[in-house]
Amino acid sequence: MEETKNTEPQYREEEYDEIDIMELLRKLFKDWKLILKWCGVAAVVGLVIAFSIPKEYTVNSTLAPEVVSRSGGGNLSSLASLAGINLSSMSTADAVYPDLYPDIISSTPFVVELFPVQVDFKYKKEAMSSDLYTYLKEYTRGPWWGKVMQFPFKALGWFMGLFREKEEGVEGYASLNPSELTQEQEDIAKAIRESVSLAVDKKTSVISLTVTAQDPKVAARISEEVIARLQTYVTNYRTEKSRQDLEYYEKLYDESREAYFASQQRYASYVDRNQGVVLQRVRTEQERLQNEMNLNYQLYNACAQQLQTAKAKVQQETPVFTIINPPQVPLKRSKPSKPTILLASIFLGAMIAAVWILWGRDIIAGFKKKDEDAVEAETAPDRE
């Protein structure tokens, strides 16, 4: 008789390491003095860091540019706006639309134009004035650890310079070539790029400009200058073709006016000389001069109309920037936030102390025990 054996699946029990929270808390509470020591050390380090970072002031400005867009889109524009896409900025009639403004203000030609901007500031409680290049080079400071980290590289550069041909150094921006900046000029340009940032809302095309400096008046001054130069840049680009047409029509207008006045003078002089003469050739010449004068007058009149149209077109294509939130001198610093740095340092110190108490000691003890076991294993044969 065959016996049917029912084989039931056997599940292997997996063992999981359970973390005893209460045991961890007891270990931490047992060494609470060590945690307090670490927090105290971290607080001192945090205060040193907070007072070593120079104060910085931030100016926030908001402006709305005039966007010239092609007609069309209809319901598609409404649907795209729900998705956060602005089709009007994508279908602008010119190539410089607001999405390119951040690239414009960070470009080298735009940045180097800010070098000679005059700024007023306070240095060691003394009112001073200089250009932006000199201010960033001589009157701004960084944290002390920046100089410590740069010292090895400067020393290496000085040592390598002993074996190179000495080149005449160029200081300042007296000889400035945007396509070939010196190291000093590149450092100043980099500092300006880091202090100026511009963001564009893709849905509304509203521009948000942020300028940071170690002096509040400098931050406000640079913010005003960036807005003015950005407006000039966009205006010059958008009206470039119209201004070229205007110059061309002004030239035609001047030429046609001179031609008309000259033909008018010739006609009047001929008529005055031949008053009372009834010869046919005199009448024929008079009619020819009169027709020439009328033709020049028609050209003169047409050029005058084209000139007025060109002037109106330049005015029409000149963009308008509406400054929603103008730059203002900030009253409070934006960074560093000393309470935030202090709290973050204390928290980091407490975490390091907790990791040391819970796992660090055991790991170090495990390594020491392995070393001791290895030493005993090596010395055991010698004892035998």
Side-chain angles (χ1 to χ4, degrees):
M1 187 175 180
E2 296 181 357
E3 296 180 358
T4 59
K5 296 181 179 180
N6 296 326
T7 59
E8 297 180 356
Q10 298 179 353
Y11 297 95
R12 185 176 62 183
E13 296 182 356
E14 297 181 357
E15 296 181 356
Y16 296 94
D17 294 333
E18 296 182 357
I19 299 176
D20 191 350
I21 303 298
M22 296 304 298
E23 180 64 23
L24 297 180
L25 293 177
R26 280 194 294 268
K27 291 179 67 175
L28 294 176
F29 183 76
K30 184 179 179 181
D31 290 333
W32 62 272
K33 292 183 179 180
L34 180 61
I35 297 177
L36 288 181
K37 290 180 181 179
W38 276 88
C39 290
V41 173
V44 173
V45 173
L47 289 176
V48 171
I49 294 175
F51 282 96
S52 299
I53 300 176
K55 297 179 182 179
E56 291 187 353
Y57 298 84
T58 301
V59 174
N60 296 313
S61 308
T62 307
L63 58 154
E66 179 187 15
V67 179
V68 180
S69 59
R70 298 188 181 97
S71 60
N75 296 330
L76 184 60
S77 299
S78 302
L79 295 176
S81 62
L82 296 177
I85 302 174
N86 188 1
L87 289 183
S88 62
S89 64
M90 298 174 61
S91 60
T92 52
D94 54 342
V96 177
Y97 47 91
D99 290 347
L100 291 181
Y101 291 175
D103 297 328
I104 293 174
I105 67 168
S106 63
S107 62
T108 300
F110 189 93
V111 171
V112 297
E113 288 181 356
L114 298 175
F115 285 175
V117 175
Q118 294 295 316
V119 294
D120 298 326
F121 57 94
K122 285 187 177 181
Y123 183 73
K124 295 181 179 180
K125 298 182 180 180
E126 182 180 355
M128 302 187 68
S129 177
S130 71
D131 54 78
L132 181 61
Y133 188 97
T134 305
Y135 168 76
L136 294 176
K137 178 185 175 182
E138 299 181 1
Y139 299 102
T140 56
R141 63 184 183 91
W144 55 267
W145 57 81
K147 296 181 179 179
V148 174
M149 295 177 63
Q150 292 177 359
F151 177 76
F153 299 99
K154 290 184 178 180
L156 180 61
W158 174 82
F159 179 75
M160 296 297 294
L162 297 176
F163 304 96
R164 298 175 183 172
E165 295 182 359
K166 293 185 178 180
E167 299 179 358
E168 186 177 355
V170 178
E171 295 184 357
Y173 58 94
S175 59
L176 180 63
N177 183 7
S179 61
E180 188 178 356
L181 300 178
T182 63
Q183 184 61 48
E184 180 181 286
Q185 294 169 354
E186 180 62 33
D187 293 339
I188 299 298
K190 181 180 179 182
I192 295 177
R193 290 191 186 98
E194 292 176 351
S195 63
V196 179
S197 63
L198 188 146
V200 179
D201 189 337
K202 294 184 178 180
K203 187 175 182 181
T204 61
S205 296
V206 174
I207 301 172
S208 299
L209 177 66
T210 302
V211 179
T212 303
Q214 295 184 9
D215 187 274
K217 291 184 178 180
V218 174
R221 178 71 179 91
I222 297 305
S223 182
E224 294 174 354
E225 194 67 25
V226 169
I227 292 176
R229 291 180 182 271
L230 181 62
Q231 291 177 342
T232 302
Y233 182 93
V234 176
T235 300
N236 290 340
Y237 175 84
R238 186 174 292 180
T239 61
E240 181 178 4
K241 181 62 169 60
S242 299
R243 286 185 288 107
Q244 290 179 356
D245 294 342
L246 178 60
E247 293 177 0
Y248 175 71
Y249 286 124
E250 285 178 345
K251 183 179 179 181
L252 289 181
Y253 173 80
D254 293 337
E255 292 176 353
S256 62
R257 183 180 61 178
E258 292 179 0
Y260 169 65
F261 288 167
S263 62
Q264 189 180 42
Q265 188 67 28
R266 288 193 300 270
Y267 174 76
S269 299
Y270 186 82
V271 171
D272 291 340
R273 288 195 308 268
N274 295 279
Q275 288 185 357
V277 179
V278 294
L279 296 176
Q280 186 63 33
R281 61 183 180 84
V282 173
R283 294 180 179 178
T284 303
E285 183 66 17
Q286 182 177 346
E287 291 179 359
R288 186 187 68 80
L289 291 175
Q290 185 176 7
N291 293 334
E292 181 181 357
M293 181 185 65
N294 293 335
L295 179 60
N296 287 331
Y297 174 74
Q298 292 176 1
L299 291 175
Y300 171 63
N301 187 31
C303 289
Q305 294 178 359
Q306 291 291 342
L307 179 62
Q308 296 300 321
T309 303
K311 290 181 179 179
K313 187 175 182 182
V314 171
Q315 180 62 30
Q316 180 183 0
E317 293 188 355
T318 300
V320 178
F321 285 80
T322 302
I323 300 179
I324 301 174
N325 182 25
Q328 294 181 350
V329 178
L331 300 178
K332 297 181 180 179
R333 66 173 183 267
S334 58
K335 54 183 178 180
S337 177
K338 295 178 181 178
T340 302
I341 295 176
L342 180 60
L343 292 176
S345 301
I346 294 175
F347 177 77
L348 183 60
M351 293 299 297
I352 293 175
V355 171
W356 170 257
I357 294 171
L358 297 177
W359 297 287
R361 288 175 176 175
D362 297 337
I363 293 174
I364 298 299
F367 283 123
K368 289 183 178 180
K369 186 176 180 181
K370 289 182 179 180
D371 293 339
E372 292 176 357
D373 293 341
V375 171
E376 291 179 358
E378 291 178 358
T379 56
D382 296 338
R383 294 177 181 177
E384 294 178 356

